[in-house]
Amino acid sequence: MSDTKQRLLEGALAALREHGVTGVSARTIAAAAGVNQALVFYHYGSVDELLGTACEQATRQRVTAYADRFAAVGSLRELLSVGRELHEAELAAGNVSVLAQMLAAAQTGERLAAPTAAALRMWSDEIESVLRRLLEGSPVAEVADLPGLAKAVAAAFVGLELYEGVDHDGGRQAMAALDQLAVLVEVVDELGPLARRALRAKIRSHLKDGSREPQG
């Protein structure tokens, strides 16, 4: 990648952090990058294309930077601890704000929807791989939709930035609730063999009942 293209990518992120998505334009991006605004269209075709590429590249770099931390996680509470650390670091760097701005813009901008969804998938895929490793053999894994749970966790950490902006205590309460859920899962996993078998049977029974078609 040329130096100019990389400067434009970094300029797009800087413009998002400073102006928000409603204030981003070829002019504000070029000013942040220190280049002529015509280069936005020469290299990327449109502002939306540049923003999408910048979001995906930045997210890939951040996921890669945390890969070793995720790989070392040994429990759900450790996963949430890493998540809190990641959230605070990304919040301070303005990266959570960038993703939140992209999500907001993607609601009405179709060209931003695909790259924003791809960025979220990078986080949820990483989280899902950790959940599968941690919950292997757990009764919880038999009832939990792990891909869906991973997406929920990823969405929660992005959404917390918006929530804390209007209700800081509420955001902390939401995080504490995730901690309580992690404790509950750990308690289930610490049950003895007989209790685990009974729990599995109960889960299977509920799943079977839930899958039955209503009669009448």
Side-chain angles (χ1 to χ4, degrees):
M1 182 174 294
S2 70
D3 179 63
T4 300
K5 292 183 73 173
Q6 184 59 42
R7 287 168 66 182
L8 283 168
L9 291 171
E10 294 169 1
L13 297 176
L16 266 177
R17 295 185 188 105
E18 182 177 354
H19 303 288
V21 72
T22 58
V24 169
S25 65
R27 181 182 60 80
T28 57
I29 292 173
V35 300
N36 187 294
Q37 71 182 64
L39 293 173
V40 170
F41 304 102
Y42 176 77
H43 286 291
Y44 291 99
S46 69
V47 170
D48 283 353
E49 184 69 24
L50 172 54
L51 289 175
T53 303
C55 180
E56 286 193 69
Q57 184 199 67
T59 302
R60 187 175 296 106
Q61 290 172 343
R62 301 313 299 152
V63 171
T64 300
Y66 278 90
D68 289 344
R69 295 295 310 280
F70 280 123
V73 165
S75 69
L76 287 180
R77 277 188 284 182
E78 284 183 34
L79 175 60
L80 290 175
S81 178
V82 170
R84 279 194 299 271
E85 178 187 327
L86 185 155
H87 179 70
E88 294 297 331
E90 296 299 287
L91 191 62
N95 295 331
V96 177
S97 178
V98 165
L99 194 50
Q101 291 285 339
M102 291 289 290
L103 280 167
Q107 304 307 305
T108 55
E110 292 184 4
R111 287 185 294 182
L112 293 177
T116 304
L120 281 174
R121 277 197 301 273
M122 292 179 205
W123 285 117
S124 62
D125 287 349
E126 190 72 22
I127 293 168
E128 182 183 342
S129 68
V130 178
L131 290 175
R132 288 192 181 281
R133 175 168 57 81
L134 295 180
L135 296 178
E136 184 179 5
S138 168
V140 175
E142 296 186 20
V143 67
D145 173 7
L146 295 185
L149 182 58
K151 290 179 176 64
V153 172
F157 278 99
V158 175
L160 280 174
E161 193 253 351
L162 301 176
Y163 202 109
E164 289 177 353
V166 295
D167 184 355
H168 181 76
D169 291 339
R172 296 299 176 184
Q173 185 179 12
M175 185 65 72
L178 288 176
D179 275 335
Q180 292 167 358
L181 179 61
V183 171
L184 177 60
V185 172
E186 289 182 7
V187 168
V188 168
D189 285 343
E190 290 172 2
L191 295 174
L194 291 177
R196 285 168 67 92
R197 282 198 292 272
L199 181 59
R200 281 195 176 93
K202 193 71 172 177
I203 289 173
R204 292 190 183 109
S205 174
H206 278 283
L207 288 175
K208 184 177 180 180
D209 290 342
S211 66
R212 291 173 181 164
E213 292 292 332
Q215 301 296 314

